[in-house]
Amino acid sequence: MGYYVVFLRAVTPTGKNKVPMAELRKLLEQNKFSDVRTYIASGNVILKTSLGAREVEKTVRALIKKNFGGDLDTFALTPDELALVLKGSPFKKPDGKTHYYTLLSDVPSASAQKAFSEIDFSPDKIVLKKKVVYAEYRTLISESKFNNNYFEKKLSVRATTRNFNTMSKLLEMARELVG
């Protein structure tokens, strides 16, 4: 049995991707998961299971689709993997207003990585490391064209993005559960 932090892509407060967190917790606890916690309404879950990461992703995605209707990409990391993502940031003193982490479903192809490395992201700073895009925005993320959808298109992978504060809080919560 181990813990995973599960990130859901594109959860919305209304519409087809609405996933009420209290209902999701109950659903997951009824289906192979225990010690389920959620954090804010944007699709962040911590849970305990004997399943591996890919099975967690598939199972959570299928349960959400069947019970809530949305077909949401899911990304599962162990607390140690999440700690490595945060530690791997190339930026000094990350903060929740300007620093974002985009988790990728796969390592992009060599050709996609090369093309990505040649993009001028000014005034923002964007760094790709394996399955994570690290971003330091000089403007608001909502004003930058370099966002989750942009990264998915350029790298031909699925992605989900969180800010430093959310990632840090999830790691803190996961570590408290692990003990």
Side-chain angles (χ1 to χ4, degrees), residues 35-72:
D35 217 1
V36 179
R37 306 282 192 278
T38 56
Y39 176 67
I40 61 178
S42 60
N44 305 291
V45 181
I46 301 169
L47 50 78
K48 187 175 185 180
T49 183
S50 60
L51 299 175
R54 300 304 71 85
E55 281 301 309
V56 169
E57 292 170 352
K58 288 180 194 174
T59 303
V60 171
R61 184 176 186 161
L63 287 168
I64 289 171
K65 187 173 183 177
K66 179 180 178 184
N67 292 274
F68 301 109
D71 188 15
L72 307 179

PDB file of all heavy atoms in Angstrom, residues 35-72:
ATOM      1  N   ASP A  35      -8.064   6.364   2.832  1.00  0.00           N
ATOM      2  CA  ASP A  35      -7.411   7.565   3.347  1.00  0.00           C
ATOM      3  C   ASP A  35      -7.438   8.701   2.317  1.00  0.00           C
ATOM      4  O   ASP A  35      -6.442   9.402   2.111  1.00  0.00           O
ATOM      5  CB  ASP A  35      -5.970   7.225   3.744  1.00  0.00           C
ATOM      6  CG  ASP A  35      -5.514   7.975   4.986  1.00  0.00           C
ATOM      7  OD1 ASP A  35      -6.316   8.738   5.556  1.00  0.00           O
ATOM      8  OD2 ASP A  35      -4.346   7.809   5.372  1.00  0.00           O
ATOM      9  N   VAL A  36      -8.581   8.875   1.664  1.00  0.00           N
ATOM     10  CA  VAL A  36      -8.720   9.837   0.568  1.00  0.00           C
ATOM     11  C   VAL A  36      -8.902  11.252   1.116  1.00  0.00           C
ATOM     12  O   VAL A  36      -9.720  11.492   1.994  1.00  0.00           O
ATOM     13  CB  VAL A  36      -9.911   9.471  -0.352  1.00  0.00           C
ATOM     14  CG1 VAL A  36     -10.072  10.496  -1.475  1.00  0.00           C
ATOM     15  CG2 VAL A  36      -9.741   8.064  -0.915  1.00  0.00           C
ATOM     16  N   ARG A  37      -8.102  12.159   0.566  1.00  0.00           N
ATOM     17  CA  ARG A  37      -8.190  13.584   0.900  1.00  0.00           C
ATOM     18  C   ARG A  37      -8.234  14.371  -0.408  1.00  0.00           C
ATOM     19  O   ARG A  37      -7.618  13.968  -1.387  1.00  0.00           O
ATOM     20  CB  ARG A  37      -6.960  14.054   1.678  1.00  0.00           C
ATOM     21  CG  ARG A  37      -6.639  13.266   2.922  1.00  0.00           C
ATOM     22  CD  ARG A  37      -7.552  13.656   4.088  1.00  0.00           C
ATOM     23  NE  ARG A  37      -7.098  13.121   5.355  1.00  0.00           N
ATOM     24  CZ  ARG A  37      -7.323  11.881   5.786  1.00  0.00           C
ATOM     25  NH1 ARG A  37      -7.954  11.020   5.030  1.00  0.00           N
ATOM     26  NH2 ARG A  37      -6.906  11.497   6.976  1.00  0.00           N
ATOM     27  N   THR A  38      -8.926  15.498  -0.389  1.00  0.00           N
ATOM     28  CA  THR A  38      -8.907  16.386  -1.546  1.00  0.00           C
ATOM     29  C   THR A  38      -8.439  17.758  -1.082  1.00  0.00           C
ATOM     30  O   THR A  38      -8.523  18.099   0.095  1.00  0.00           O
ATOM     31  CB  THR A  38     -10.290  16.505  -2.220  1.00  0.00           C
ATOM     32  OG1 THR A  38     -11.252  16.945  -1.253  1.00  0.00           O
ATOM     33  CG2 THR A  38     -10.720  15.179  -2.816  1.00  0.00           C
ATOM     34  N   TYR A  39      -7.933  18.520  -2.033  1.00  0.00           N
ATOM     35  CA  TYR A  39      -7.473  19.871  -1.725  1.00  0.00           C
ATOM     36  C   TYR A  39      -7.995  20.818  -2.793  1.00  0.00           C
ATOM     37  O   TYR A  39      -7.745  20.608  -3.984  1.00  0.00           O
ATOM     38  CB  TYR A  39      -5.941  19.913  -1.672  1.00  0.00           C
ATOM     39  CG  TYR A  39      -5.383  21.286  -1.449  1.00  0.00           C
ATOM     40  CD1 TYR A  39      -5.595  21.952  -0.246  1.00  0.00           C
ATOM     41  CD2 TYR A  39      -4.657  21.926  -2.434  1.00  0.00           C
ATOM     42  CE1 TYR A  39      -5.088  23.222  -0.036  1.00  0.00           C
ATOM     43  CE2 TYR A  39      -4.142  23.199  -2.235  1.00  0.00           C
ATOM     44  CZ  TYR A  39      -4.366  23.843  -1.036  1.00  0.00           C
ATOM     45  OH  TYR A  39      -3.876  25.101  -0.842  1.00  0.00           O
ATOM     46  N   ILE A  40      -8.685  21.818  -2.377  1.00  0.00           N
ATOM     47  CA  ILE A  40      -9.392  22.795  -3.201  1.00  0.00           C
ATOM     48  C   ILE A  40     -10.186  22.114  -4.316  1.00  0.00           C
ATOM     49  O   ILE A  40     -10.010  20.933  -4.585  1.00  0.00           O
ATOM     50  CB  ILE A  40      -8.490  23.947  -3.702  1.00  0.00           C
ATOM     51  CG1 ILE A  40      -7.352  23.481  -4.576  1.00  0.00           C
ATOM     52  CG2 ILE A  40      -7.974  24.747  -2.520  1.00  0.00           C
ATOM     53  CD1 ILE A  40      -6.470  24.626  -5.115  1.00  0.00           C
ATOM     54  N   ALA A  41     -11.048  22.841  -4.937  1.00  0.00           N
ATOM     55  CA  ALA A  41     -12.013  22.263  -5.875  1.00  0.00           C
ATOM     56  C   ALA A  41     -11.492  22.081  -7.289  1.00  0.00           C
ATOM     57  O   ALA A  41     -12.253  21.763  -8.188  1.00  0.00           O
ATOM     58  CB  ALA A  41     -13.266  23.128  -5.905  1.00  0.00           C
ATOM     59  N   SER A  42     -10.180  22.250  -7.492  1.00  0.00           N
ATOM     60  CA  SER A  42      -9.663  22.165  -8.854  1.00  0.00           C
ATOM     61  C   SER A  42      -9.091  20.801  -9.227  1.00  0.00           C
ATOM     62  O   SER A  42      -8.392  20.661 -10.219  1.00  0.00           O
ATOM     63  CB  SER A  42      -8.601  23.249  -9.073  1.00  0.00           C
ATOM     64  OG  SER A  42      -7.535  23.063  -8.163  1.00  0.00           O
ATOM     65  N   GLY A  43      -9.382  19.779  -8.418  1.00  0.00           N
ATOM     66  CA  GLY A  43      -8.998  18.430  -8.811  1.00  0.00           C
ATOM     67  C   GLY A  43      -7.664  17.946  -8.298  1.00  0.00           C
ATOM     68  O   GLY A  43      -6.806  17.542  -9.079  1.00  0.00           O
ATOM     69  N   ASN A  44      -7.498  17.970  -6.987  1.00  0.00           N
ATOM     70  CA  ASN A  44      -6.276  17.481  -6.358  1.00  0.00           C
ATOM     71  C   ASN A  44      -6.678  16.466  -5.291  1.00  0.00           C
ATOM     72  O   ASN A  44      -7.449  16.789  -4.396  1.00  0.00           O
ATOM     73  CB  ASN A  44      -5.509  18.627  -5.708  1.00  0.00           C
ATOM     74  CG  ASN A  44      -5.223  19.742  -6.690  1.00  0.00           C
ATOM     75  OD1 ASN A  44      -4.438  19.580  -7.604  1.00  0.00           O
ATOM     76  ND2 ASN A  44      -5.887  20.875  -6.520  1.00  0.00           N
ATOM     77  N   VAL A  45      -6.142  15.263  -5.389  1.00  0.00           N
ATOM     78  CA  VAL A  45      -6.545  14.176  -4.500  1.00  0.00           C
ATOM     79  C   VAL A  45      -5.299  13.491  -3.958  1.00  0.00           C
ATOM     80  O   VAL A  45      -4.334  13.270  -4.687  1.00  0.00           O
ATOM     81  CB  VAL A  45      -7.398  13.131  -5.262  1.00  0.00           C
ATOM     82  CG1 VAL A  45      -7.844  12.013  -4.335  1.00  0.00           C
ATOM     83  CG2 VAL A  45      -8.592  13.778  -5.948  1.00  0.00           C
ATOM     84  N   ILE A  46      -5.344  13.126  -2.694  1.00  0.00           N
ATOM     85  CA  ILE A  46      -4.321  12.273  -2.104  1.00  0.00           C
ATOM     86  C   ILE A  46      -5.046  11.015  -1.654  1.00  0.00           C
ATOM     87  O   ILE A  46      -6.117  11.087  -1.044  1.00  0.00           O
ATOM     88  CB  ILE A  46      -3.625  12.960  -0.917  1.00  0.00           C
ATOM     89  CG1 ILE A  46      -2.979  14.266  -1.372  1.00  0.00           C
ATOM     90  CG2 ILE A  46      -2.583  12.023  -0.294  1.00  0.00           C
ATOM     91  CD1 ILE A  46      -2.505  15.145  -0.243  1.00  0.00           C
ATOM     92  N   LEU A  47      -4.473   9.860  -1.964  1.00  0.00           N
ATOM     93  CA  LEU A  47      -5.130   8.602  -1.616  1.00  0.00           C
ATOM     94  C   LEU A  47      -4.116   7.502  -1.380  1.00  0.00           C
ATOM     95  O   LEU A  47      -2.954   7.611  -1.750  1.00  0.00           O
ATOM     96  CB  LEU A  47      -6.118   8.202  -2.723  1.00  0.00           C
ATOM     97  CG  LEU A  47      -5.632   8.188  -4.171  1.00  0.00           C
ATOM     98  CD1 LEU A  47      -4.804   6.962  -4.488  1.00  0.00           C
ATOM     99  CD2 LEU A  47      -6.806   8.276  -5.107  1.00  0.00           C
ATOM    100  N   LYS A  48      -4.596   6.438  -0.761  1.00  0.00           N
ATOM    101  CA  LYS A  48      -3.759   5.276  -0.464  1.00  0.00           C
ATOM    102  C   LYS A  48      -4.336   4.079  -1.209  1.00  0.00           C
ATOM    103  O   LYS A  48      -5.556   3.895  -1.261  1.00  0.00           O
ATOM    104  CB  LYS A  48      -3.765   5.004   1.042  1.00  0.00           C
ATOM    105  CG  LYS A  48      -2.804   3.937   1.493  1.00  0.00           C
ATOM    106  CD  LYS A  48      -2.819   3.843   3.021  1.00  0.00           C
ATOM    107  CE  LYS A  48      -1.789   2.870   3.514  1.00  0.00           C
ATOM    108  NZ  LYS A  48      -1.825   2.784   5.003  1.00  0.00           N
ATOM    109  N   THR A  49      -3.445   3.270  -1.787  1.00  0.00           N
ATOM    110  CA  THR A  49      -3.888   2.123  -2.579  1.00  0.00           C
ATOM    111  C   THR A  49      -2.750   1.135  -2.773  1.00  0.00           C
ATOM    112  O   THR A  49      -1.577   1.483  -2.595  1.00  0.00           O
ATOM    113  CB  THR A  49      -4.407   2.590  -3.959  1.00  0.00           C
ATOM    114  OG1 THR A  49      -4.902   1.460  -4.679  1.00  0.00           O
ATOM    115  CG2 THR A  49      -3.332   3.280  -4.763  1.00  0.00           C
ATOM    116  N   SER A  50      -3.116  -0.062  -3.188  1.00  0.00           N
ATOM    117  CA  SER A  50      -2.098  -1.055  -3.550  1.00  0.00           C
ATOM    118  C   SER A  50      -1.832  -1.036  -5.054  1.00  0.00           C
ATOM    119  O   SER A  50      -0.945  -1.730  -5.536  1.00  0.00           O
ATOM    120  CB  SER A  50      -2.556  -2.459  -3.130  1.00  0.00           C
ATOM    121  OG  SER A  50      -3.763  -2.785  -3.791  1.00  0.00           O
ATOM    122  N   LEU A  51      -2.570  -0.220  -5.787  1.00  0.00           N
ATOM    123  CA  LEU A  51      -2.391  -0.116  -7.229  1.00  0.00           C
ATOM    124  C   LEU A  51      -1.128   0.676  -7.569  1.00  0.00           C
ATOM    125  O   LEU A  51      -0.682   1.514  -6.785  1.00  0.00           O
ATOM    126  CB  LEU A  51      -3.592   0.579  -7.872  1.00  0.00           C
ATOM    127  CG  LEU A  51      -4.953  -0.095  -7.727  1.00  0.00           C
ATOM    128  CD1 LEU A  51      -6.049   0.787  -8.313  1.00  0.00           C
ATOM    129  CD2 LEU A  51      -4.948  -1.461  -8.373  1.00  0.00           C
ATOM    130  N   GLY A  52      -0.596   0.456  -8.777  1.00  0.00           N
ATOM    131  CA  GLY A  52       0.502   1.262  -9.285  1.00  0.00           C
ATOM    132  C   GLY A  52      -0.025   2.553  -9.882  1.00  0.00           C
ATOM    133  O   GLY A  52      -1.227   2.719 -10.084  1.00  0.00           O
ATOM    134  N   ALA A  53       0.881   3.463 -10.190  1.00  0.00           N
ATOM    135  CA  ALA A  53       0.510   4.798 -10.673  1.00  0.00           C
ATOM    136  C   ALA A  53      -0.394   4.756 -11.899  1.00  0.00           C
ATOM    137  O   ALA A  53      -1.404   5.454 -11.958  1.00  0.00           O
ATOM    138  CB  ALA A  53       1.759   5.625 -10.963  1.00  0.00           C
ATOM    139  N   ARG A  54      -0.039   3.978 -12.918  1.00  0.00           N
ATOM    140  CA  ARG A  54      -0.849   3.949 -14.145  1.00  0.00           C
ATOM    141  C   ARG A  54      -2.247   3.383 -13.873  1.00  0.00           C
ATOM    142  O   ARG A  54      -3.233   3.853 -14.440  1.00  0.00           O
ATOM    143  CB  ARG A  54      -0.178   3.129 -15.244  1.00  0.00           C
ATOM    144  CG  ARG A  54       1.208   3.623 -15.704  1.00  0.00           C
ATOM    145  CD  ARG A  54       1.361   5.052 -16.206  1.00  0.00           C
ATOM    146  NE  ARG A  54       1.292   6.162 -15.338  1.00  0.00           N
ATOM    147  CZ  ARG A  54       2.266   6.707 -14.598  1.00  0.00           C
ATOM    148  NH1 ARG A  54       3.461   6.206 -14.592  1.00  0.00           N
ATOM    149  NH2 ARG A  54       2.049   7.764 -13.851  1.00  0.00           N
ATOM    150  N   GLU A  55      -2.332   2.387 -12.992  1.00  0.00           N
ATOM    151  CA  GLU A  55      -3.646   1.834 -12.639  1.00  0.00           C
ATOM    152  C   GLU A  55      -4.471   2.838 -11.847  1.00  0.00           C
ATOM    153  O   GLU A  55      -5.696   2.908 -12.012  1.00  0.00           O
ATOM    154  CB  GLU A  55      -3.496   0.524 -11.866  1.00  0.00           C
ATOM    155  CG  GLU A  55      -3.197  -0.660 -12.761  1.00  0.00           C
ATOM    156  CD  GLU A  55      -4.293  -0.886 -13.810  1.00  0.00           C
ATOM    157  OE1 GLU A  55      -5.486  -0.952 -13.459  1.00  0.00           O
ATOM    158  OE2 GLU A  55      -3.937  -0.978 -15.002  1.00  0.00           O
ATOM    159  N   VAL A  56      -3.829   3.601 -10.980  1.00  0.00           N
ATOM    160  CA  VAL A  56      -4.528   4.661 -10.252  1.00  0.00           C
ATOM    161  C   VAL A  56      -5.119   5.647 -11.255  1.00  0.00           C
ATOM    162  O   VAL A  56      -6.299   6.003 -11.182  1.00  0.00           O
ATOM    163  CB  VAL A  56      -3.582   5.389  -9.263  1.00  0.00           C
ATOM    164  CG1 VAL A  56      -4.238   6.655  -8.702  1.00  0.00           C
ATOM    165  CG2 VAL A  56      -3.153   4.452  -8.139  1.00  0.00           C
ATOM    166  N   GLU A  57      -4.304   6.075 -12.202  1.00  0.00           N
ATOM    167  CA  GLU A  57      -4.773   7.033 -13.213  1.00  0.00           C
ATOM    168  C   GLU A  57      -5.959   6.483 -13.995  1.00  0.00           C
ATOM    169  O   GLU A  57      -6.975   7.178 -14.161  1.00  0.00           O
ATOM    170  CB  GLU A  57      -3.635   7.387 -14.170  1.00  0.00           C
ATOM    171  CG  GLU A  57      -2.537   8.191 -13.512  1.00  0.00           C
ATOM    172  CD  GLU A  57      -1.290   8.361 -14.364  1.00  0.00           C
ATOM    173  OE1 GLU A  57      -1.181   7.733 -15.445  1.00  0.00           O
ATOM    174  OE2 GLU A  57      -0.403   9.126 -13.950  1.00  0.00           O
ATOM    175  N   LYS A  58      -5.843   5.264 -14.470  1.00  0.00           N
ATOM    176  CA  LYS A  58      -6.924   4.655 -15.263  1.00  0.00           C
ATOM    177  C   LYS A  58      -8.194   4.483 -14.440  1.00  0.00           C
ATOM    178  O   LYS A  58      -9.300   4.778 -14.913  1.00  0.00           O
ATOM    179  CB  LYS A  58      -6.493   3.290 -15.789  1.00  0.00           C
ATOM    180  CG  LYS A  58      -5.479   3.338 -16.893  1.00  0.00           C
ATOM    181  CD  LYS A  58      -5.132   1.915 -17.329  1.00  0.00           C
ATOM    182  CE  LYS A  58      -3.887   1.876 -18.183  1.00  0.00           C
ATOM    183  NZ  LYS A  58      -3.474   0.507 -18.490  1.00  0.00           N
ATOM    184  N   THR A  59      -8.052   4.011 -13.216  1.00  0.00           N
ATOM    185  CA  THR A  59      -9.220   3.751 -12.375  1.00  0.00           C
ATOM    186  C   THR A  59      -9.928   5.041 -11.992  1.00  0.00           C
ATOM    187  O   THR A  59     -11.156   5.138 -12.095  1.00  0.00           O
ATOM    188  CB  THR A  59      -8.807   2.957 -11.117  1.00  0.00           C
ATOM    189  OG1 THR A  59      -8.156   1.742 -11.524  1.00  0.00           O
ATOM    190  CG2 THR A  59     -10.002   2.626 -10.258  1.00  0.00           C
ATOM    191  N   VAL A  60      -9.173   6.036 -11.555  1.00  0.00           N
ATOM    192  CA  VAL A  60      -9.782   7.317 -11.170  1.00  0.00           C
ATOM    193  C   VAL A  60     -10.471   7.951 -12.375  1.00  0.00           C
ATOM    194  O   VAL A  60     -11.611   8.421 -12.278  1.00  0.00           O
ATOM    195  CB  VAL A  60      -8.727   8.267 -10.553  1.00  0.00           C
ATOM    196  CG1 VAL A  60      -9.304   9.669 -10.364  1.00  0.00           C
ATOM    197  CG2 VAL A  60      -8.218   7.710  -9.222  1.00  0.00           C
ATOM    198  N   ARG A  61      -9.820   7.920 -13.511  1.00  0.00           N
ATOM    199  CA  ARG A  61     -10.412   8.498 -14.727  1.00  0.00           C
ATOM    200  C   ARG A  61     -11.725   7.793 -15.090  1.00  0.00           C
ATOM    201  O   ARG A  61     -12.734   8.445 -15.389  1.00  0.00           O
ATOM    202  CB  ARG A  61      -9.422   8.404 -15.885  1.00  0.00           C
ATOM    203  CG  ARG A  61      -9.918   9.073 -17.147  1.00  0.00           C
ATOM    204  CD  ARG A  61      -8.858   9.034 -18.226  1.00  0.00           C
ATOM    205  NE  ARG A  61      -9.285   9.812 -19.381  1.00  0.00           N
ATOM    206  CZ  ARG A  61      -8.495  10.267 -20.310  1.00  0.00           C
ATOM    207  NH1 ARG A  61      -7.193  10.037 -20.244  1.00  0.00           N
ATOM    208  NH2 ARG A  61      -8.968  10.970 -21.320  1.00  0.00           N
ATOM    209  N   ALA A  62     -11.716   6.468 -15.050  1.00  0.00           N
ATOM    210  CA  ALA A  62     -12.919   5.696 -15.393  1.00  0.00           C
ATOM    211  C   ALA A  62     -14.048   5.957 -14.397  1.00  0.00           C
ATOM    212  O   ALA A  62     -15.217   6.095 -14.792  1.00  0.00           O
ATOM    213  CB  ALA A  62     -12.590   4.209 -15.450  1.00  0.00           C
ATOM    214  N   LEU A  63     -13.738   6.049 -13.112  1.00  0.00           N
ATOM    215  CA  LEU A  63     -14.764   6.321 -12.106  1.00  0.00           C
ATOM    216  C   LEU A  63     -15.374   7.704 -12.299  1.00  0.00           C
ATOM    217  O   LEU A  63     -16.588   7.877 -12.182  1.00  0.00           O
ATOM    218  CB  LEU A  63     -14.173   6.192 -10.702  1.00  0.00           C
ATOM    219  CG  LEU A  63     -13.871   4.768 -10.230  1.00  0.00           C
ATOM    220  CD1 LEU A  63     -13.016   4.788  -8.964  1.00  0.00           C
ATOM    221  CD2 LEU A  63     -15.171   4.001 -10.008  1.00  0.00           C
ATOM    222  N   ILE A  64     -14.540   8.678 -12.599  1.00  0.00           N
ATOM    223  CA  ILE A  64     -15.056  10.034 -12.835  1.00  0.00           C
ATOM    224  C   ILE A  64     -15.939  10.059 -14.066  1.00  0.00           C
ATOM    225  O   ILE A  64     -17.038  10.624 -14.054  1.00  0.00           O
ATOM    226  CB  ILE A  64     -13.896  11.048 -12.956  1.00  0.00           C
ATOM    227  CG1 ILE A  64     -13.241  11.247 -11.587  1.00  0.00           C
ATOM    228  CG2 ILE A  64     -14.385  12.384 -13.529  1.00  0.00           C
ATOM    229  CD1 ILE A  64     -11.968  12.050 -11.614  1.00  0.00           C
ATOM    230  N   LYS A  65     -15.492   9.424 -15.135  1.00  0.00           N
ATOM    231  CA  LYS A  65     -16.287   9.412 -16.366  1.00  0.00           C
ATOM    232  C   LYS A  65     -17.645   8.749 -16.139  1.00  0.00           C
ATOM    233  O   LYS A  65     -18.677   9.275 -16.549  1.00  0.00           O
ATOM    234  CB  LYS A  65     -15.521   8.700 -17.479  1.00  0.00           C
ATOM    235  CG  LYS A  65     -16.215   8.790 -18.818  1.00  0.00           C
ATOM    236  CD  LYS A  65     -15.361   8.221 -19.926  1.00  0.00           C
ATOM    237  CE  LYS A  65     -16.064   8.408 -21.259  1.00  0.00           C
ATOM    238  NZ  LYS A  65     -15.246   7.939 -22.363  1.00  0.00           N
ATOM    239  N   LYS A  66     -17.635   7.618 -15.468  1.00  0.00           N
ATOM    240  CA  LYS A  66     -18.874   6.874 -15.235  1.00  0.00           C
ATOM    241  C   LYS A  66     -19.829   7.616 -14.299  1.00  0.00           C
ATOM    242  O   LYS A  66     -21.032   7.623 -14.520  1.00  0.00           O
ATOM    243  CB  LYS A  66     -18.546   5.499 -14.641  1.00  0.00           C
ATOM    244  CG  LYS A  66     -19.765   4.670 -14.344  1.00  0.00           C
ATOM    245  CD  LYS A  66     -19.385   3.319 -13.768  1.00  0.00           C
ATOM    246  CE  LYS A  66     -20.633   2.514 -13.440  1.00  0.00           C
ATOM    247  NZ  LYS A  66     -20.294   1.247 -12.799  1.00  0.00           N
ATOM    248  N   ASN A  67     -19.296   8.258 -13.266  1.00  0.00           N
ATOM    249  CA  ASN A  67     -20.139   8.842 -12.233  1.00  0.00           C
ATOM    250  C   ASN A  67     -20.403  10.335 -12.355  1.00  0.00           C
ATOM    251  O   ASN A  67     -21.391  10.827 -11.830  1.00  0.00           O
ATOM    252  CB  ASN A  67     -19.536   8.544 -10.854  1.00  0.00           C
ATOM    253  CG  ASN A  67     -19.602   7.071 -10.533  1.00  0.00           C
ATOM    254  OD1 ASN A  67     -20.604   6.592 -10.032  1.00  0.00           O
ATOM    255  ND2 ASN A  67     -18.558   6.339 -10.852  1.00  0.00           N
ATOM    256  N   PHE A  68     -19.515  11.056 -13.044  1.00  0.00           N
ATOM    257  CA  PHE A  68     -19.690  12.503 -13.173  1.00  0.00           C
ATOM    258  C   PHE A  68     -19.782  12.965 -14.623  1.00  0.00           C
ATOM    259  O   PHE A  68     -20.126  14.112 -14.879  1.00  0.00           O
ATOM    260  CB  PHE A  68     -18.554  13.255 -12.471  1.00  0.00           C
ATOM    261  CG  PHE A  68     -18.439  12.944 -11.004  1.00  0.00           C
ATOM    262  CD1 PHE A  68     -17.378  12.195 -10.526  1.00  0.00           C
ATOM    263  CD2 PHE A  68     -19.402  13.381 -10.108  1.00  0.00           C
ATOM    264  CE1 PHE A  68     -17.266  11.896  -9.181  1.00  0.00           C
ATOM    265  CE2 PHE A  68     -19.299  13.084  -8.758  1.00  0.00           C
ATOM    266  CZ  PHE A  68     -18.227  12.332  -8.288  1.00  0.00           C
ATOM    267  N   GLY A  69     -19.412  12.102 -15.561  1.00  0.00           N
ATOM    268  CA  GLY A  69     -19.555  12.423 -16.972  1.00  0.00           C
ATOM    269  C   GLY A  69     -18.340  13.001 -17.668  1.00  0.00           C
ATOM    270  O   GLY A  69     -18.219  12.915 -18.872  1.00  0.00           O
ATOM    271  N   GLY A  70     -17.424  13.593 -16.936  1.00  0.00           N
ATOM    272  CA  GLY A  70     -16.247  14.182 -17.568  1.00  0.00           C
ATOM    273  C   GLY A  70     -15.177  13.139 -17.849  1.00  0.00           C
ATOM    274  O   GLY A  70     -14.981  12.213 -17.076  1.00  0.00           O
ATOM    275  N   ASP A  71     -14.515  13.272 -18.983  1.00  0.00           N
ATOM    276  CA  ASP A  71     -13.400  12.375 -19.329  1.00  0.00           C
ATOM    277  C   ASP A  71     -12.111  13.147 -19.079  1.00  0.00           C
ATOM    278  O   ASP A  71     -11.561  13.785 -19.969  1.00  0.00           O
ATOM    279  CB  ASP A  71     -13.504  11.926 -20.785  1.00  0.00           C
ATOM    280  CG  ASP A  71     -12.494  10.851 -21.126  1.00  0.00           C
ATOM    281  OD1 ASP A  71     -11.905  10.255 -20.192  1.00  0.00           O
ATOM    282  OD2 ASP A  71     -12.271  10.606 -22.326  1.00  0.00           O
ATOM    283  N   LEU A  72     -11.638  13.095 -17.837  1.00  0.00           N
ATOM    284  CA  LEU A  72     -10.527  13.933 -17.399  1.00  0.00           C
ATOM    285  C   LEU A  72      -9.211  13.167 -17.363  1.00  0.00           C
ATOM    286  O   LEU A  72      -9.143  12.069 -16.822  1.00  0.00           O
ATOM    287  CB  LEU A  72     -10.799  14.475 -15.991  1.00  0.00           C
ATOM    288  CG  LEU A  72     -12.131  15.183 -15.776  1.00  0.00           C
ATOM    289  CD1 LEU A  72     -12.260  15.633 -14.331  1.00  0.00           C
ATOM    290  CD2 LEU A  72     -12.253  16.373 -16.702  1.00  0.00           C
TER     291      LEU A  72
END
